[in-house]
Amino acid sequence: MGILKLLLSYLSIHPSPLRNPSTSLHLSQQAPAFLSSSESAKDTQETWLIYEQLLLSCLRTGDDNSARLCLQRLSDRFGVDSARVKALTGLYDEATSRSRGELEAVLQRYQDILKEDPTNMPIEKRRISLLLSLGRTEGAIKALTSLLSHSPNDAESWAHLSSLYFTQRLYPQSIFCLEEVLLILPNAYNIFARIGEVTYISASAGASNADQIEAFEEAIKYFARSVELSEWYLRGWYGLKLVTGKLIQAKPSDGTLGKMESLNQLATEKLVQIVSKFRRNVKGWTGFDEAEVLAAKDLIDRDEQKISR
Amino acid sequence: MATIQAQTILRDPQLFYWILFPITAVMVLTGVLRHYATVLMQSDPKKQELNAISEQRNLLRGVNLRTNHNQIPLSSFIARKNYLVAAYNRGDFLKDPDNKGKPPANPMTDPAGMDQMMSMLKGNMAMMVPQTLIMGWINAFFSGFVIMKLPFPLTLRFKSMLQSGVATRDLDVRWVSSLSWYFLNLFGLRSIFTFILGNENSADQMAQQMQQMNPAGGNAMFAPGQDPNKMFLAEAENLEVVGGQHEWVLDGVVDRLLKTRV
């Protein structure tokens, strides 16, 4: 297979290669081969997407030379003034900078670009990430809020803002942002699970007992919705099992106890199935994230120990 | 009345090579040419100012809230609804707050409107000019005889259109001239164009016609002929109306989930 096809098929199996160190490494190792091949000169949309992914993965693994070459070719094709190319150049400079002073210089450059052209969204987003890397979370939150005031349909930014609020322990605001994401993407089952998680965490962090129970019930509803939308969603079942377990412990007697126990059992069954099939490498069941499967196994074992005691 | 005996006419087998093939070939080639010409003639999307973008996107936010309001709890929905309705009524997101009461910009004078009208015009021209040329060519070269028999019967009214060069009274309407072959090709070649040129090709006149018949589609909000303030007020009203029926999708979700277990 030509190297272009190879890379495309790799990216279709691993759509977000940068999440995982091993896939990023794998991808960046292909970079020198791709860059020196003749197929890299093809002018199709797919080729340029591959260039972008290669650039990001090479920066991730430290292969600055290949990254530089990718960036060069991208700017030759699309011009140095294209918004996206400017953002990628900024990203390259951030990644290869060696001192805080250099990072501040890049930040200043972003502010200048934005002063000239306030509609440049990729640069706005880069500026927010850079503020975060410099540790200025409040500045990043302010910048994100101003981005969202003129582009309230950007689900990615709402999700980012939610995670920032979460790091600052501002749970109601975090949930507000996640709800905005739901308004844009109503079938995002992962967001439902996330709201469940944030609700559970904020309840455990400090409410009174009665409020805790109410919050747990709400979290359970969110997790239930996420698995209603996606039958084998591991995070959803994990959350269900965990929170129903806590609720059963906390509430001695109530009409809904039966339902909670059935839910707990259902969640346990599903998790057991996922874990066993993943372990045995059954076809079609190997797409789960290994760390998540290990956590699920851990939870199952913990609860079994409790029962056997 | 009995024209039960089928009318048969002996046809020259050379008909096939000299008429059907050439017409089809010419139509395919002009379709491909038209597609590339349209692609080349498209001008770049115009850059918009930040407050114009903000206006459009905030209106979209209201639409999203209205469409997906069942995904969030009632209290969240009400909070957002109150905020948005108040903001829309005050005109917070308007690009030109001074233009509130004035009539919408005339497309003739407004430069933004001009661009959109020009691109629509170019699209229509690209469609019509080749069609007219080919029809003229067919009438010039291929008139005066019938070339094929349609497998399905038609009423008499079609005679004048489909047998244009042949003036006989008794000839069955199923015998048609080459112009009808042209029409058949016009509608039938769409799938071939999709095969050759990929899905969104400009040789597809059906898609264009559907777009013209559907003004409520995406372009309505951004067309210069609309008054943004009125749209905001309309959206505010829609939000008020929809507020009455809120069914949180999470109500009863546990029961639904447990039911599937059975």
Side-chain angles (χ1 to χ4, degrees), chain B residues 58 134 161 197 228:
Chain B
N58 277 302
I134 298 185
M161 178 168 86
L197 298 170

Side-chain angles (χ1 to χ4, degrees), chain A residues 117-119 149-153 176 179-180 182-184 186 192 221-222 224-225 227-228 240 259 262-263 265-266 269, chain B residues 47-50 53-54 57-58 60-61 64-65 68-69 71-73 76 80 248-250 253-258 261:
Chain A
D117 177 19
T119 63
S149 70
H150 69 70
S151 294
N153 318 85
F176 178 90
E179 285 174 350
E180 286 287 334
L182 280 180
L183 286 176
I184 302 171
F192 277 111
K221 282 192 195 164
Y222 276 109
R225 176 68 181 159
V227 293
E228 197 184 8
L240 261 181
K259 274 193 209 165
S262 328
L263 267 183
Q265 265 178 7
L266 180 59
E269 283 168 19
Chain B
K47 200 151 161 73
Q48 285 181 312
E49 288 263 322
L50 194 63
I53 298 181
S54 166
R57 291 186 182 173
N58 277 302
L60 267 176
R61 185 182 184 191
N64 274 337
L65 180 61
N68 295 322
H69 62 102
Q71 308 293 330
I72 57 179
S76 309
R80 285 174 170 83
W248 195 20
V249 84
L250 260 56
V253 67
V254 172
D255 296 324
R256 293 200 299 264
L257 192 59
L258 287 174
R261 197 186 183 190

Side-chain angles (χ1 to χ4, degrees), chain A residues 72-92:
Chain A
Q72 188 66 48
R73 293 206 190 161
L74 279 167
S75 32
D76 287 339
R77 169 64 177 87
F78 294 104
V80 186
D81 284 329
S82 139
R84 225 163 139 176
V85 169
K86 274 199 191 149
L88 287 173
T89 315
L91 194 144
Y92 175 83

